[in-house]
Amino acid sequence: MCRHLAYLGAPVALAELLLDPPHALARQAWAPRDMRGGGTINADGFGVAWYPQGGAEPVRYRSAMPIWSDAALPALAAATASGAVLAAVRSATVGMPVTETAAAPFAEGRWLFSHNGVVRGWPGSVVKVAGRLPVQDLVTLDAPTDSALLWALVRDRLRAGVPPADAVAEVVAEVELAAPGSRLNLLLTDGAQIVATTLGHALSVRADSDGVLVSSEPLDPGAAWQPVPENHLLAATASTVHLTPLGRS
Ligand code: GLN
C-alpha cells in the first residue's frame, strides 16, 4: 500500500519532505514501519507536485520507477522550494498496472489527490458508483486503477462546487457502502487546505509555527507528531487542524 504526504506552510525544499529526514518519504518507500493490511515495499512509482511561488498551478513530476532509483530527483528536490506540496510513493495492488499515470498525485487545476489503500472487489463492486460519472470521465481515467476512479469521483464533486471536505467524505461513504472492507486513506489539497481521511491505514500530523505536515508515517522522531485516529476526516490549513469522525462531518 502506498505512503503519501501533504505540506502547507513556510517554503521548504522538496528534499526536506522526500529525502533528507530520517524517515522521509523515500525511506518510507522501502522501509515503511506501519503498513497495515499487507504490502511491504512501495516500488511501483512515485509522484510529487508543488505550488510555485506566486500562485501558479502546481507543477507535477511523476514516474513509474521507485523513488530511490530516480537519478534526477535529488538535485531537483534540493533546488525546488515550495510552501505547498503533495507527494506519494506507490505499491500497486495486485492486478493493477505499473505505469506513470497510475502514480499520485492525480491533478486538475489547483487540485491534487492521492489514495492509500484498496477498493475491495475492484472493479465489479464499484461499477454502479462509477456509472454515475460522465462517460467522458470514465474513458479518460488516468489509469485503470481503483485510485484513479476515486479521484474521478472526488473531482466530479469538486467540479460541481461541493466543498472539498464534503466531496471526500461523500466518496468514502459511497465507496465503503458499495465495497465494504475497502481501505480509503484519501488526501486532497488545493495549496491552501488539506483534506485527508483515515480508513484502514496509518496517518500522522505535525502542526507547528512553520506549517502543517500530514504524512502516512512521521518523517522524524520529533515529539510534535500526532497520530490521526482511524475513521476520521482531517481538514487543515497552514495554521489549523480539525479532526471529525467520518460519517459525522
Ligand atoms: N490500489 C492502489 C493502486 O494500485 C494502491 C494504492 C496503495 O495504497 N498502494 O494504485
Side-chain angles (χ1 to χ4, degrees):
M1 299 294 144
C2 312
R3 305 283 83 177
H4 57 201
L5 63 76
Y7 171 76
L8 297 177
V12 294
L14 300 183
E16 290 180 41
L17 303 170
L18 304 181
L19 301 172
D20 294 347
H23 202 55
L25 193 67
R27 187 173 177 93
Q28 292 180 38
W30 59 268
R33 293 190 177 127
D34 194 359
M35 295 281 272
R36 301 175 190 174
T40 46
I41 194 160
N42 297 283
D44 300 320
F46 74 97
V48 53
W50 63 95
Y51 297 76
Q53 315 280 348
E57 287 184 356
V59 178
R60 179 171 59 172
Y61 182 75
R62 294 191 293 180
S63 166
M65 302 295 288
I67 188 169
W68 60 83
S69 71
D70 188 312
L73 187 65
L76 174 78
T80 307
S82 174
V85 179
L86 191 148
V89 289
R90 177 169 183 242
S91 167
T93 299
V94 173
M96 296 190 191
V98 177
T99 169
E100 180 188 320
T101 60
F106 301 99
E108 179 171 270
R110 299 196 62 77
W111 295 108
L112 300 173
F113 176 83
S114 170
H115 164 230
N116 163 212
V118 63
V119 172
R120 291 288 172 223
W122 165 268
S125 57
V126 282
V127 163
K128 268 203 187 124
V129 172
R132 289 197 280 276
L133 285 171
V135 174
Q136 170 91 10
D137 291 3
L138 292 173
V139 298
T140 57
L141 277 185
D142 285 76
T145 65
D146 53 358
S147 305
L149 176 68
L150 291 168
W151 164 232
L153 292 168
V154 170
R155 183 183 60 187
D156 186 57
R157 285 167 168 83
L158 295 173
R159 286 174 178 167
V162 176
D166 295 345
V168 166
E170 285 174 25
V171 168
V172 167
E174 184 178 38
V175 172
E176 211 189 355
L177 196 65
S182 293
R183 294 174 179 268
L184 301 170
N185 278 39
L186 309 190
L187 184 60
L188 177 74
T189 187
D190 62 356
Q193 56 193 321
I194 294 170
V195 176
T197 57
T198 50
L199 190 67
H201 275 294
L203 193 71
S204 288
V205 58
R206 187 186 74 194
D208 58 27
S209 55
D210 286 334
V212 168
L213 178 55
V214 178
S215 175
S216 297
E217 301 183 10
L219 272 62
D220 55 52
W225 288 97
Q226 300 287 333
V228 179
E230 169 72 358
N231 219 355
H232 273 67
L233 184 130
L234 174 148
T237 66
S239 56
T240 61
V241 179
H242 281 290
L243 292 179
T244 333
L246 272 173
R248 268 184 268 155
S249 49

